[in-house]
Amino acid sequence: MLEEVERWLSTRSWSVSDRPLHHVLAAKQRSGQTVSVVLPALNEEETVGEIVAAIRHDLMCQVPLVDEIVVVDSGSTDATSKVAAAAGARVAHRDDVLPRVPPVPGKGEVLWRSLLVTGGDIVAFVDADLKEFSSDFVTGIVGPLLTDPDVHLVKAMYDRPLGGAAGQGGRVTELMARPLLNMHWPRLAGFVQPLGGEYAARRSLLEQLPFPVGYGVELGMLVDALHLVGLDALAQVDVGVRRHRHQDGQALGRMAAAIYRTAQLRLARGHLIRPSLTQFERGADGFEPRTFSVDTEERPPMLEIAEYARRKVA
């Protein structure tokens, strides 16, 4: 590990207990900054309500830390929007945000559009499939941003159990993202959960970043933020244990391929790989190939979008 990373681990890796809630709240009140929490959601009716309710109760009603909770529904066919609204979130639908730009499927697409329907100086992203959710996830990732003006992006770190095994839930992280970061961006090797969906950043940073529309958004954001603001502006906070729905092996394969494609684009090398992935399923005549596109379209920095620029001027 690079000496710079070892130093970073000692100065930019914290626990949620390092910043008690009352200290974080006092820092927010002194600075006057506002906080938006965004939940990207697709068919998450079983979990999204409890997450929204916990954040609203703990961080809006009990203490005024969070100013708005926005669930951005990316085309759910279940009751995700209804459940989220009933729990106290404002619900925005992906297709209604910036309608002149036809939407494409993908988590990054939803996160990018969320900048147009939120107003916070700090934007915290939380996945909508978490189980046994604690509001510490939010206080942990926004705390450093409110207390340290030199920090611009904070990732949550946590254990990710898989079945009965502790620490086995980050399969794409260990098999794809961590090797890529260690080999090509070793200054980012200290991040425990580089692909985790719980992180917060200053709007002033987010609006300058391109957003890969799919699963590569977290890796792309880390790499681009490193180049834009430097390693010392990035941090991570231990929030305990993250429990969520796990995907099957083939879905993880598609995720890994999209992440590799995102990395490949950023390596700016002369050669290109074929942006598709062939997997196999057993059929009546044996194993049959199924090919999926893993090319990752990217949205430009939000500052380049006229509607966003007009909103800032207004």
Side-chain angles (χ1 to χ4, degrees), residues 165-185:
Q168 297 299 310
R171 292 165 288 173
V172 175
T173 293
E174 300 303 330
L175 296 174
M176 177 58 71
R178 199 176 309 285
L180 281 172
L181 292 176
N182 276 265
M183 287 187 289
H184 300 300
W185 296 281

Side-chain angles (χ1 to χ4, degrees), residues 222-297:
L222 265 187
V223 171
D224 294 340
L226 173 68
H227 292 309
L228 193 62
V229 296
L231 182 60
D232 283 340
L234 313 179
Q236 60 184 351
V237 173
D238 187 348
V239 297
V241 179
R242 183 188 197 264
R243 303 182 189 278
H244 64 112
R245 182 186 67 252
H246 294 287
Q247 300 192 57
D248 63 34
Q250 291 202 336
L252 295 178
R254 295 190 291 274
M255 182 186 301
I259 289 166
Y260 178 80
R261 177 63 171 162
T262 298
Q264 192 274 337
L265 290 173
R266 279 156 177 77
L267 289 172
R269 291 177 174 172
H271 69 278
L272 295 174
I273 61 170
R274 180 171 173 260
S276 61
L277 175 71
T278 298
Q279 297 177 316
F280 294 87
E281 297 179 3
R282 185 182 291 279
D285 299 320
F287 284 102
E288 300 174 355
R290 300 285 188 273
T291 300
F292 301 87
S293 172
V294 294
D295 208 3
T296 175
E297 183 178 351

